[in-house]
Amino acid sequence: MSDATSAIIFEHPLNEKMRSWLRIESSLQQLEKQRHLDSQASSLAFFRTIAELIEILERGEVRSELLKELDRQQAKLKQWLCAPNADTAMIQNLAGQLKGRSIALNQAPRLSQYIKEDRIISMVRQRLSIPGGCCSFDLPTLHLWLHLPQSVRDESVKNWLDSLRPLQQALESILGLIRHSAAFTPKNSHNGFYQGNADEADLLRLKLDVVLGELVYPQVSGYKTRFAIRFLPMDSEHGAVPAHLSFELACC
């Protein structure tokens, strides 16, 4: 592959639980990258992300859905043990990992309880909806906290993220298994359009070679078993979509 070409994977959820899981995963990944709070700007980015995560976790039965999926994946692993030439050691290791993460998630307190009740997070969260509402005169406590030694802030962030670890580890295992449940297969769109059946899949994964000068992206619509993909030019005024576009697709 040349320097001007890169493969990008686009993902599209086919049900509400997967939509929620991908959003949670994205927030957790952002928090890990934002965890070094050494300025007001970096701290507010972290607090915005953690506030969004709290909102997602408050909306649905995230824990129960994850526990159901962990049980389902363990049942699938047991079936694989009976397959010819199965890697018994690897399957048993995965099953043990899933069981351990299921126990940890089940025993954890309410998923957002610790971060939601934290004084600093709570104060900042209340002001985030106000434009410019986190100035030092609005939040003098935060202003003071940002001037404490870096080690103090690092310890706070560690405790916040540690409280989310059972969620993060369970989600990591589930999404990893789902993503590896189907291989990419070559497909072709005609005049920028492709449609197909997902056969009760949870997630569509689309791999596209993006070439500079021919920038297109997929717009996916679909739910449960049916989906459609329309490729659109990034430059909506002057860009064009090839009549026949090759890509790879996995229905996971």
Side-chain angles (χ1 to χ4, degrees):
M1 187 177 296
S2 68
D3 292 340
T5 307
S6 59
I8 299 178
I9 294 177
F10 296 86
E11 295 186 329
H12 182 82
L14 292 172
N15 49 54
E16 286 304 314
K17 70 176 182 181
M18 181 58 67
R19 188 182 304 275
S20 175
W21 292 350
L22 291 179
R23 286 174 173 162
I24 293 170
E25 179 191 47
S26 176
S27 293
L28 291 171
Q29 289 173 346
Q30 290 178 62
L31 289 174
E32 285 293 339
K33 292 182 181 297
Q34 297 166 343
R35 66 182 300 159
H36 188 65
L37 309 186
D38 58 357
S39 68
Q40 184 187 38
S42 64
S43 299
L44 289 181
F46 178 91
F47 287 125
R48 285 192 180 93
T49 303
I50 211 165
E52 291 173 358
L53 178 60
I54 291 171
E55 291 298 321
I56 298 170
L57 294 176
E58 293 283 296
R59 287 177 187 171
E61 299 296 324
V62 176
R63 188 208 303 265
S64 62
E65 291 289 350
L66 289 173
L67 288 171
K68 288 177 186 176
E69 186 63 26
L70 285 167
D71 288 342
R72 189 173 77 90
Q73 293 292 343
Q74 289 180 72
K76 287 175 65 176
L77 289 175
K78 288 181 181 179
Q79 293 176 355
W80 290 352
L81 281 173
C82 302
N85 302 318
D87 188 333
T88 305
M90 184 187 74
I91 293 173
Q92 290 177 339
N93 182 57
L94 275 173
Q97 183 188 81
L98 291 179
K99 183 177 180 180
R101 293 187 171 182
S102 179
I103 292 171
L105 181 63
N106 191 44
Q107 293 178 345
R110 188 177 175 185
L111 294 180
S112 61
Q113 181 177 351
Y114 184 82
I115 54 176
K116 186 178 178 182
E117 294 177 354
D118 183 87
R119 183 165 173 259
I120 294 292
I121 292 176
S122 178
M123 284 191 303
V124 177
R125 189 175 167 220
Q126 291 173 18
R127 305 292 302 182
L128 286 173
S129 61
I130 303 171
C134 294
C135 291
S136 60
F137 58 85
D138 290 304
L139 290 172
T141 306
L142 175 64
H143 188 63
L144 171 62
W145 187 77
L146 291 174
H147 283 80
L148 295 178
Q150 183 68 48
S151 59
V152 174
R153 295 194 297 281
D154 288 345
E155 183 64 23
S156 294
V157 172
K158 180 182 181 300
N159 292 335
W160 295 335
L161 297 185
D162 282 350
S163 74
L164 297 168
R165 200 67 62 204
L167 168 66
Q168 182 266 326
Q169 291 179 339
L171 193 59
E172 179 182 65
S173 292
I174 288 170
L175 291 180
L177 287 170
I178 290 175
R179 285 175 172 131
H180 287 91
S181 66
F184 283 102
T185 57
K187 304 291 182 182
N188 283 283
S189 70
H190 300 282
N191 296 319
F193 184 76
Y194 180 88
Q195 63 180 349
N197 295 316
D199 296 327
E200 298 295 337
D202 292 307
L203 179 68
L204 283 183
R205 306 188 78 214
L206 189 153
K207 185 185 294 185
L208 182 65
D209 284 342
V210 179
V211 183
L212 296 179
E214 297 179 2
L215 294 177
V216 299
Y217 63 92
Q219 188 177 74
V220 183
S221 59
Y223 189 71
K224 293 186 177 179
T225 61
R226 296 285 297 170
F227 66 91
I229 303 171
R230 185 171 296 280
F231 291 93
L232 301 171
M234 191 161 184
D235 185 345
S236 58
E237 292 186 12
H238 304 103
V241 177
H244 300 282
L245 180 66
S246 299
F247 63 98
E248 294 181 65
L249 186 68
C251 298
C252 305

